[in-house]
Structure formats: C-alpha cells, structure tokens
Amino acid sequence: MFIRKYKDSDFDQLCHVMDRARMQELKTANMEQVFIQLKYAPYLRYLLKCKMYVATKEEKIVGFVGLRPHELSFLYVDPNFQNHGVGKKLIEFALKRLERSIKLDVFTDNFAAKALYEKYGFKVVKTVVEKWSDEYPIEFSQDTMEMK
C-alpha cells in the first residue's frame, strides 16, 4: 500500500470509496435515508479544501484522509479493505502531519472508528445530539474527540 497526495484525476475513485464507506457509517447510526453521493453532497467543497491524501493498492484507491490545521476532517476506508491496516496507516500518516492538539468528529455509535482513534490517544471531549436537517429531522449523536 502506498499513500500519496490526492490529484484531481482521483475524484471518481475517491467518490466510490467515500460513498461505500459513508453508507456503512450511516447504517451504524440507522441513518441510511440521509445518504447523498459525494459528488452531490453539500460538504464536497469543504472536503476538497482539505489537504487530501489517498491510500492506493495496485493503483486503486482504497482509503483517504482529509486534513485541516489541528483537525483530522475525513478518514474513510473502502469497506472491502477494512481490517487490513489501511485505516491504521492513514491515521499514522495523518498524525505525522498535524500539530497537536488534534480534533475530529465521529458518530457516537461508530464504535469501530472510535476504537481506532482511541488506540492513538484520542478521547471523547464532547457529545452533541442534534437534528440532521429540516428535510430529515432525525436525531443523531456525534462525538468530538481530541488528542493533545
């Protein structure tokens, strides 16, 4: 596996990974009905303004991270490549590039992601329960985790 800087030509593969992993993430919170493909998502612009890095295996993108100052904004791994060390390598890569303290947000019920973050010293510092949107007035719980 190789981690490199994101290129515009990676967009379709990045969308594929994000869409598959995002649907899995939303299922853990029983929120599949709010799924939007990345190319139509309101946060696409925010994601693309991050420092983006992709993990590749045989030229195929299998995961990615998006970084902002003091923030691990995105970390997604294609479900077919989870539990193969991709997330571990991406988080280690990210931590070498971010200044402390580092924050991230994760669904409260995303126990697999939280367990990974906790292995690296992240701790829950805040939990917020809020409504997804006016269109989807579903309550969800999100944790902010921090590493000092």
Side-chain angles (χ1 to χ4, degrees):
M1 188 182 69
F2 179 70
I3 298 175
R4 63 168 172 77
K5 195 168 176 114
Y6 169 82
K7 302 180 287 194
D8 290 341
S9 60
D10 295 329
F11 183 74
D12 289 340
Q13 283 191 65
L14 183 92
C15 286
H16 178 76
V17 169
M18 176 74 179
D19 291 347
R20 290 176 42 78
R22 182 70 168 166
M23 179 56 89
Q24 179 187 49
E25 176 185 43
L26 289 169
K27 282 181 180 179
T28 68
N30 294 314
M31 295 177 48
E32 302 95 313
Q33 65 269 43
V34 303
F35 174 78
I36 298 173
Q37 289 182 312
L38 178 60
K39 62 184 172 183
Y40 305 116
Y43 53 84
L44 174 60
R45 210 174 193 167
Y46 177 82
L47 180 140
L48 293 175
K49 286 187 178 178
C50 293
K51 285 187 179 176
M52 299 287 294
Y53 299 92
V54 296
T56 62
K57 187 169 187 176
E58 298 171 7
E59 302 299 315
K60 180 180 178 182
I61 295 174
V62 296
F64 69 91
V65 291
L67 311 177
R68 288 183 167 265
H70 301 281
E71 183 177 293
L72 178 55
S73 301
F74 294 89
L75 191 159
Y76 284 93
V77 176
D78 184 310
N80 290 335
F81 292 90
Q82 290 175 1
N83 300 310
H84 291 92
V86 177
K88 178 181 180 225
K89 292 229 192 279
L90 284 168
I91 198 166
E92 289 172 357
F93 182 90
L95 293 177
K96 289 178 186 170
R97 285 155 180 77
L98 290 169
E99 290 183 36
R100 306 302 186 268
S101 68
I102 304 168
K103 290 189 177 184
L104 60 86
D105 292 316
V106 61
F107 285 128
T108 301
D109 294 337
N110 192 341
F111 301 114
K114 286 173 62 176
L116 175 66
Y117 300 139
E118 287 168 350
K119 281 183 189 176
Y120 289 91
F122 284 90
K123 295 187 182 343
V124 174
V125 295
K126 180 172 75 172
T127 300
V128 175
V129 177
E130 57 190 349
K131 184 173 64 165
W132 187 260
S133 68
D134 289 336
E135 185 179 355
Y136 297 103
I138 303 159
E139 278 196 352
F140 71 100
S141 180
Q142 181 170 283
D143 292 340
T144 297
M145 299 182 78
E146 184 174 20
M147 170 196 270
K148 296 210 180 228

